[in-house]
Amino acid sequence: MKIVTVIGARPQIIKAAALSRAIRNHYSNQIQEVIVHTGQHYDENMSQVFFDELDIPRPDYNLHVGSASHGVQTARMTEGIEAILIKECPDFLVLYGDTNSTLAGAVAAAKIHVPIVHIEAGLRSFNKAMPEEINRIVCDHCSTLLFTPTKAGLENLKREGFSFDEGGVSTGSTTATPTIDNPKVWHCGDIMYDNSLHFADIAEAKTDIIKRLNLSGMPFVLATIHRDSNTDQPERLNAIFGALIQIADKTPIVLPLHPRTDKLLKTNLKPELQNQLFNTPNIHIIPPVSFLEMIALERHAQLVMTDSGGVQKEAYFFGKPCIILRPETEWVEIVETGNAVLADADETRILEAWRHFVAHPPTAFPKIFGDGHAAEFMLEKIISSKVL
Ligand code: UD1
Ligand code: UDP
């Protein structure tokens, strides 16, 4: 069987590592994977570093679309992906998550009748002002095989009309071949969890970032910020950084800076905050780090503050409390268990959440993201769903 996998943004490249590894280790005689990189992320530290470090096969195609407005970027990707699908004639197109690369793959494949596998299906923020919410809804409704990492994802799909058999794991008829009009849904655990388990000890052995930052044995806060709703709205960006600067009075902060945030800090952060930010020795502003460095930082941090979907979950995987810098999350379970708090971009709520978690660090992190073998589960289902 042949699958084409589309990746483009940092988290998709990382997720693809888990599936490619499982194909290499268990299914190389059954599945040929063709990788298409849209070029949505292109800086060395947003793309190539992950291929080098995580043993991901070199992409067979790179569309080099780069940065542009949503419409332009998505259109360029759609055109390129369509041409590749026509040439390669795969059995399935595999798409991850909710970026513009996901949307482009979904539109290109659905229109020319290539069945889509959506990994990370069913997640919803119920906030359509987020570009990702549009992308994930479109992709889910164009897909033939949907793999949801959480029970909340399964429930969301049910609400949107995906019908389920008794076991609550598949839609439509269990005997009929799955199609775009008779899709199948599985709750299978989180592919990011596969990666975190696989790379945790490797990260410990291969990275020295904690030592390099002089943070060995010290509590510190790990922060990441990149959502357009935070970077592009000066009021929100100033509130978040106002809180960070106050926290830095007590605890060092490590902030690997996304290129979007790097660019917008200069225009959207008040000059006095910029001055404080860049002159507070307790705040380590560093370029984006590799995945192994990131999970080393997550493992050693006292607490994580983030608006990233992936980083929220990884905080949970490594037993760390998380302050979510958004009004809502798709990963509702981590809030429901009390291990994360939605503080939005509200300075007071961020500081309250930080005080709360420092005084009462959570200790119970129930296993809700699977068993670390989501990739193998999905590949079994993909193989058995092939139209003969
Ligand atoms: C994208 C995804 C978002 C995901 C994030 C992961 C969409 C709509 N958004 O957001 O869901 O959480 O990736 O990181 O698909 N830039 C560079 N170098 C790069 C890449 C980007 O400088 O290698 C800068 C450019 O100025 C660009 C900006 O970052 O305009 C935003 O990049 P883009 O890929 O459009 O969106 P992200 O914010 O990265
Ligand atoms: N990540 C990384 N280096 C960084 C920041 C994040 O390797 O400097 C990893 C992180 O560990 C997670 C993924 O990138 O696996 C999350 O990507 P991001 O926050 O860009 O996007 P989101 O998950 O919000 O879509």
Side-chain angles (χ1 to χ4, degrees):
M1 128 178 311
K2 187 194 273 187
I3 60 172
V4 168
T5 299
V6 169
I7 53 180
R10 167 169 70 187
Q12 296 169 317
I13 302 170
I14 296 169
K15 286 165 202 168
L19 203 76
S20 297
R21 187 170 63 246
I23 293 175
R24 194 168 54 239
N25 291 343
H26 306 292
Y27 303 94
S28 57
N29 57 349
Q30 291 174 81
I31 299 180
Q32 179 200 354
E33 184 184 32
V34 174
I35 299 183
V36 179
H37 191 330
T38 62
Q40 176 169 353
H41 285 174
Y42 45 84
D43 289 349
E44 206 275 339
N45 56 20
M46 294 294 285
S47 175
Q48 188 57 43
V49 65
F50 304 109
F51 289 92
D52 297 342
E53 188 180 61
L54 308 181
D55 234 353
I56 308 166
R58 239 178 87 86
D60 300 274
Y61 299 90
N62 192 323
L63 300 174
H64 296 292
V65 297
S67 305
S69 66
H70 286 280
V72 170
Q73 189 182 53
T74 309
R76 285 183 186 144
M77 292 173 186
T78 311
E79 184 181 3
I81 295 168
E82 183 187 60
I84 293 167
L85 292 176
I86 290 169
K87 180 167 166 231
E88 293 286 345
C89 293
D91 295 288
F92 287 102
L93 174 69
V94 175
L95 298 172
Y96 292 97
D98 54 20
T99 71
N100 286 348
S101 299
T102 316
L103 174 67
V107 173
K111 295 287 182 77
I112 56 170
H113 309 155
V114 174
I116 295 167
V117 176
H118 190 200
I119 297 180
E120 246 185 32
L123 301 173
R124 298 290 180 267
S125 63
F126 302 101
N127 173 5
K128 289 205 184 88
M130 281 182 85
E132 293 84 0
E133 186 75 350
I134 311 290
N135 296 346
R136 50 173 93 103
I137 291 172
V138 173
C139 186
D140 279 344
H141 287 264
C142 289
S143 293
T144 292
L145 306 183
L146 294 88
F147 292 102
T148 178
T150 59
K151 291 209 172 112
L154 202 64
E155 292 307 316
N156 291 336
L157 290 172
K158 254 186 215 176
R159 257 197 309 276
E160 288 175 21
F162 288 83
S163 58
F164 289 79
D165 295 326
E166 278 297 293
V169 288
S170 61
T171 61
S173 152
T174 41
T175 47
T177 305
T179 65
I180 189 169
D181 289 315
N182 178 36
K184 264 182 172 275
V185 179
W186 286 276
H187 171 218
C188 64
D190 197 313
I191 197 161
M192 296 284 269
Y193 186 50
D194 294 16
N195 269 336
S196 292
L197 287 183
H198 181 82
F199 288 113
D201 291 338
I202 300 175
E204 213 57 40
K206 285 199 174 169
T207 62
D208 63 352
I209 186 153
I210 306 292
K211 214 164 111 202
R212 250 171 35 230
L213 294 171
N214 283 327
L215 291 171
S216 304
M218 280 178 46
F220 66 89
V221 170
L222 172 66
T224 77
I225 297 140
H226 76 272
R227 290 277 154 214
D228 60 350
S229 55
N230 286 331
T231 58
D232 300 15
Q233 296 187 39
E235 204 182 303
R236 293 176 63 86
L237 198 68
N238 282 288
I240 291 171
F241 278 92
L244 277 180
I245 288 164
Q246 290 182 61
I247 292 170
D249 257 355
K250 297 275 185 301
T251 312
I253 293 180
V254 180
L255 178 64
L257 209 54
H258 189 287
R260 172 193 279 280
T261 318
D262 189 24
K263 285 175 188 143
L264 286 159
L265 273 183
K266 288 154 198 145
T267 48
N268 287 350
L269 199 64
K270 287 182 196 153
E272 62 267 30
L273 280 186
Q274 286 195 40
N275 195 21
Q276 281 174 285
L277 183 66
F278 293 109
N279 293 304
T280 303
N282 238 8
I283 303 185
H284 302 266
I285 299 184
I286 56 177
V289 295
S290 77
F291 182 64
L292 294 185
E293 288 177 330
M294 190 63 184
I295 57 179
L297 287 168
E298 288 164 350
R299 256 187 139 182
H300 288 269
Q302 176 188 36
L303 185 150
V304 174
M305 289 174 58
T306 189
D307 58 11
S308 154
V311 177
Q312 278 172 53
K313 266 184 302 168
E314 286 164 359
Y316 188 93
F317 301 159
F318 292 116
K320 301 303 157 94
C322 182
I323 301 174
I324 302 172
L325 305 169
R326 288 181 44 199
E328 77 282 303
T329 178
E330 303 77 29
W331 307 101
V332 289
E333 293 85 351
I334 67 173
V335 175
E336 283 163 8
T337 55
N339 295 305
V341 163
L342 289 166
D344 204 358
D346 180 319
E347 191 168 319
T348 309
R349 282 165 63 192
I350 296 169
L351 292 170
E352 270 170 21
W354 170 66
R355 281 187 214 103
H356 164 74
F357 279 138
V358 170
H360 309 285
T363 50
F365 290 79
K367 274 186 161 280
I368 47 179
F369 289 101
D371 59 2
H373 296 284
E376 287 95 320
F377 178 94
M378 292 189 261
L379 289 168
E380 287 289 338
K381 299 299 177 197
I382 293 171
I383 290 169
S384 64
S385 302
K386 182 179 166 173
V387 182
L388 298 169

